[in-house]
Amino acid sequence: NVARHAQATRCELRVALGADGVLAWSVEDDGVGLGDAVAAAQRGNGLAGMHERAWALGGELLVTPASDAAARPGLRLAARFSI
């Protein structure tokens, strides 16, 4: 999706397990971003499905811009799960 939709040149995936048993996951790119995350989640199964899977595992998916850059804000998806 980063290559197909975001026109990104960089993508970073992070996975960390804290001492408190919380698994934190995020993926961030430097692409064109989303104009409206709510509308994007309603257009297809991608983001909506990710929200549903995170919820089913007791987590929550956060969808935010990766930066404050107006032209290329990128996208950051992040979730946390208690293990």
Side-chain angles (χ1 to χ4, degrees):
N1 282 337
V2 169
R4 180 190 295 174
H5 301 294
Q7 302 168 11
T9 60
R10 181 190 64 80
C11 179
E12 184 173 315
L13 173 67
R14 294 182 187 139
V15 179
L17 179 60
D20 57 358
V22 173
L23 176 71
W25 168 92
S26 70
V27 63
E28 180 176 308
D29 69 49
D30 65 350
V32 297
L34 291 175
D36 181 355
V38 174
Q42 294 171 346
R43 279 196 301 268
N45 294 324
L47 288 176
M50 291 178 74
H51 276 284
E52 184 71 22
R53 287 187 295 277
W55 175 82
L57 294 170
E60 180 182 7
L61 180 70
L62 302 175
V63 180
T64 60
S67 77
D68 293 332
R72 295 184 63 84
L75 187 65
R76 183 172 192 266
L77 305 176
R80 294 172 56 90
F81 304 93
S82 295
I83 297 184

